[in-house]
Amino acid sequence: MTVITAHFLALISPGPDFLFMVRSSLRNKRSVAIATALGIATANVLYLVLCIIGVGSVIARSLVPISVLKLLGGAFLLSAAYRALRAKREEYAFIADFETSGKVQNSFAKEFAPGLFSGLSNPKSIIFCLSLFSVVLTTNVSLALSVALGVWMSLLVFCGMRR
Protein backbone atom coordinates (compact mmCIF):
# COMPACT_ATOMS: atom_id res chain seq x y z
CA MET A 1 0.00 0.00 0.00
CA THR A 2 2.93 2.34 0.63
CA VAL A 3 4.14 1.93 -2.95
CA ILE A 4 0.67 2.40 -4.41
CA THR A 5 0.03 5.54 -2.35
CA ALA A 6 3.43 7.05 -3.10
CA HIS A 7 3.08 6.32 -6.81
CA PHE A 8 -0.43 7.78 -6.92
CA LEU A 9 0.78 11.00 -5.28
CA ALA A 10 3.69 11.21 -7.72
CA LEU A 11 1.35 10.77 -10.67
CA ILE A 12 -1.10 13.47 -9.65
CA SER A 13 1.60 16.09 -9.16
CA PRO A 14 2.26 17.67 -12.56
CA GLY A 15 5.82 17.74 -13.78
CA PRO A 16 7.77 18.15 -17.01
CA ASP A 17 6.38 14.95 -18.52
CA PHE A 18 2.81 16.11 -17.91
CA LEU A 19 3.47 19.45 -19.59
CA PHE A 20 5.17 17.73 -22.52
CA MET A 21 2.20 15.40 -22.87
CA VAL A 22 -0.26 18.31 -22.86
CA ARG A 23 1.76 20.03 -25.59
CA SER A 24 1.79 16.87 -27.69
CA SER A 25 -1.94 16.34 -27.20
CA LEU A 26 -2.71 19.87 -28.31
CA ARG A 27 -0.46 19.65 -31.37
CA ASN A 28 -1.23 16.15 -32.63
CA LYS A 29 -4.01 13.73 -33.28
CA ARG A 30 -4.68 11.27 -30.46
CA SER A 31 -3.09 8.30 -32.24
CA VAL A 32 0.19 10.19 -32.60
CA ALA A 33 0.10 11.82 -29.16
CA ILE A 34 -0.06 8.31 -27.68
CA ALA A 35 3.51 7.88 -28.96
CA THR A 36 4.60 10.60 -26.51
CA ALA A 37 2.92 8.75 -23.64
CA LEU A 38 4.57 5.52 -24.77
CA GLY A 39 7.99 7.23 -24.86
CA ILE A 40 7.53 8.59 -21.34
CA ALA A 41 6.31 5.21 -20.07
CA THR A 42 9.29 3.48 -21.73
CA ALA A 43 11.68 5.77 -19.85
CA ASN A 44 9.90 4.91 -16.61
CA VAL A 45 10.19 1.20 -17.41
CA LEU A 46 13.93 1.62 -17.91
CA TYR A 47 14.31 3.31 -14.52
CA LEU A 48 12.17 0.66 -12.83
CA VAL A 49 14.18 -2.17 -14.39
CA LEU A 50 17.45 -0.59 -13.25
CA CYS A 51 16.07 -0.28 -9.73
CA ILE A 52 14.68 -3.82 -9.67
CA ILE A 53 18.02 -5.33 -10.73
CA GLY A 54 19.81 -3.37 -8.02
CA VAL A 55 21.51 -0.52 -9.87
CA GLY A 56 19.30 2.00 -8.11
CA SER A 57 20.29 0.69 -4.71
CA VAL A 58 23.99 1.13 -5.51
CA ILE A 59 23.41 4.69 -6.77
CA ALA A 60 21.17 5.61 -3.83
CA ARG A 61 23.83 4.52 -1.32
CA SER A 62 26.66 6.37 -3.09
CA LEU A 63 26.90 10.02 -2.11
CA VAL A 64 28.53 11.33 -5.29
CA PRO A 65 26.20 9.73 -7.91
CA ILE A 66 23.02 10.61 -6.02
CA SER A 67 24.24 14.18 -5.46
CA VAL A 68 25.08 14.51 -9.16
CA LEU A 69 21.62 13.19 -10.09
CA LYS A 70 19.96 15.67 -7.77
CA LEU A 71 22.03 18.56 -9.15
CA LEU A 72 21.33 17.55 -12.75
CA GLY A 73 17.64 17.21 -11.94
CA GLY A 74 17.55 20.66 -10.36
CA ALA A 75 19.40 22.14 -13.34
CA PHE A 76 16.91 20.49 -15.70
CA LEU A 77 13.94 21.96 -13.84
CA LEU A 78 15.55 25.42 -13.68
CA SER A 79 16.30 25.24 -17.40
CA ALA A 80 12.71 24.25 -18.21
CA ALA A 81 11.37 27.10 -16.08
CA TYR A 82 13.77 29.60 -17.68
CA ARG A 83 12.75 28.51 -21.21
CA ALA A 84 9.07 28.77 -20.28
CA LEU A 85 9.53 32.28 -18.90
CA ARG A 86 11.60 33.40 -21.91
CA ALA A 87 9.25 31.93 -24.54
CA LYS A 88 7.79 34.33 -27.05
CA ARG A 89 4.11 34.61 -27.77
CA GLU A 90 4.68 33.18 -31.29
CA GLU A 91 5.91 29.92 -29.80
CA TYR A 92 2.41 29.33 -28.45
CA ALA A 93 0.68 30.18 -31.74
CA PHE A 94 -0.07 26.50 -32.31
CA ILE A 95 -2.74 26.72 -29.58
CA ALA A 96 -4.65 29.41 -31.49
CA ASP A 97 -4.02 27.61 -34.80
CA PHE A 98 -5.48 24.45 -33.31
CA GLU A 99 -8.88 26.09 -32.96
CA THR A 100 -8.96 27.21 -36.59
CA SER A 101 -7.00 24.71 -38.66
CA GLY A 102 -7.01 21.51 -36.63
CA LYS A 103 -4.13 19.41 -35.38
CA VAL A 104 -0.93 18.76 -37.29
CA GLN A 105 0.00 15.20 -38.18
CA ASN A 106 3.45 14.28 -36.91
CA SER A 107 4.67 10.72 -37.19
CA PHE A 108 4.64 8.21 -34.36
CA ALA A 109 8.47 8.22 -34.27
CA LYS A 110 8.64 12.02 -34.15
CA GLU A 111 6.57 11.97 -30.98
CA PHE A 112 7.97 8.81 -29.35
CA ALA A 113 11.60 9.99 -29.31
CA PRO A 114 10.93 13.34 -27.57
CA GLY A 115 8.62 11.55 -25.12
CA LEU A 116 11.39 9.08 -24.33
CA PHE A 117 13.92 11.90 -23.89
CA SER A 118 11.50 13.81 -21.66
CA GLY A 119 10.97 10.75 -19.49
CA LEU A 120 14.70 9.98 -19.29
CA SER A 121 15.64 13.55 -18.41
CA ASN A 122 12.85 14.06 -15.88
CA PRO A 123 14.50 14.18 -12.46
CA LYS A 124 11.22 13.44 -10.73
CA SER A 125 11.08 9.97 -12.28
CA ILE A 126 14.58 8.79 -11.44
CA ILE A 127 14.62 10.21 -7.91
CA PHE A 128 11.17 8.75 -7.22
CA CYS A 129 12.23 5.29 -8.44
CA LEU A 130 15.52 5.42 -6.56
CA SER A 131 13.82 6.50 -3.36
CA LEU A 132 11.03 3.98 -3.62
CA PHE A 133 13.14 0.96 -4.45
CA SER A 134 15.95 1.75 -2.03
CA VAL A 135 13.73 2.58 0.97
CA VAL A 136 10.48 0.67 0.58
CA LEU A 137 11.30 -2.25 -1.72
CA THR A 138 14.40 -3.57 -0.03
CA THR A 139 16.07 -6.95 -0.52
CA ASN A 140 13.61 -8.63 1.83
CA VAL A 141 10.80 -7.97 -0.67
CA SER A 142 10.42 -10.76 -3.23
CA LEU A 143 11.52 -10.24 -6.82
CA ALA A 144 8.06 -11.24 -8.01
CA LEU A 145 6.43 -8.47 -5.98
CA SER A 146 8.99 -5.91 -7.19
CA VAL A 147 8.40 -6.91 -10.82
CA ALA A 148 4.62 -6.90 -10.37
CA LEU A 149 4.75 -3.40 -8.87
CA GLY A 150 7.08 -2.26 -11.67
CA VAL A 151 4.66 -3.54 -14.33
CA TRP A 152 1.69 -1.99 -12.54
CA MET A 153 3.47 1.36 -12.18
CA SER A 154 4.51 1.36 -15.85
CA LEU A 155 1.00 0.62 -17.06
CA LEU A 156 -0.43 3.26 -14.78
CA VAL A 157 2.03 5.87 -16.11
CA PHE A 158 1.12 5.02 -19.71
CA CYS A 159 -2.63 4.96 -19.09
CA GLY A 160 -2.48 8.18 -17.08
CA MET A 161 -0.47 9.96 -19.76
CA ARG A 162 -2.70 8.96 -22.62
CA ARG A 163 -5.84 10.38 -21.03
Side-chain angles (χ1 to χ4, degrees):
M1 285 311 292
T2 303
V3 173
I4 293 170
T5 303
H7 190 240
F8 176 73
L9 292 173
L11 285 177
I12 64 171
S13 63
D17 289 343
F18 174 78
L19 297 175
F20 192 74
M21 191 64 231
V22 168
R23 180 181 150 267
S24 180
S25 296
L26 288 173
R27 291 184 112 167
N28 301 294
K29 294 185 178 182
R30 180 184 171 109
S31 60
V32 176
I34 285 177
T36 303
L38 188 58
I40 292 168
T42 301
N44 279 284
V45 167
L46 178 64
Y47 286 142
L48 288 168
V49 167
L50 289 174
C51 288
I52 288 171
I53 64 173
V55 174
S57 181
V58 172
I59 292 172
R61 288 185 174 83
S62 305
L63 184 60
V64 173
I66 197 69
S67 297
V68 168
L69 280 173
K70 288 178 182 180
L71 288 171
L72 289 174
F76 171 78
L77 292 175
L78 288 172
S79 169
Y82 178 76
R83 283 180 292 175
L85 291 172
R86 299 286 301 165
K88 295 181 173 64
R89 178 176 231 116
E90 301 85 46
E91 294 178 35
Y92 295 99
F94 72 90
I95 295 172
D97 293 342
F98 165 72
E99 294 174 359
T100 58
S101 64
K103 296 183 178 190
V104 297
Q105 184 61 31
N106 283 331
S107 71
F108 190 89
K110 282 187 179 178
E111 290 300 309
F112 177 81
L116 180 65
F117 179 74
S118 174
L120 289 173
S121 63
N122 182 355
K124 180 178 151 188
S125 298
I126 183 93
I127 291 173
F128 174 77
C129 288
L130 285 175
S131 301
L132 183 68
F133 278 84
S134 64
V135 175
V136 179
L137 298 177
T138 57
T139 54
N140 59 351
V141 174
S142 73
L143 179 62
L145 179 59
S146 294
V147 169
L149 285 169
V151 168
W152 176 81
M153 290 166 63
S154 301
L155 289 173
L156 198 58
V157 166
F158 175 69
C159 292
M161 285 288 174
R162 62 181 276 279
R163 291 281 165 214

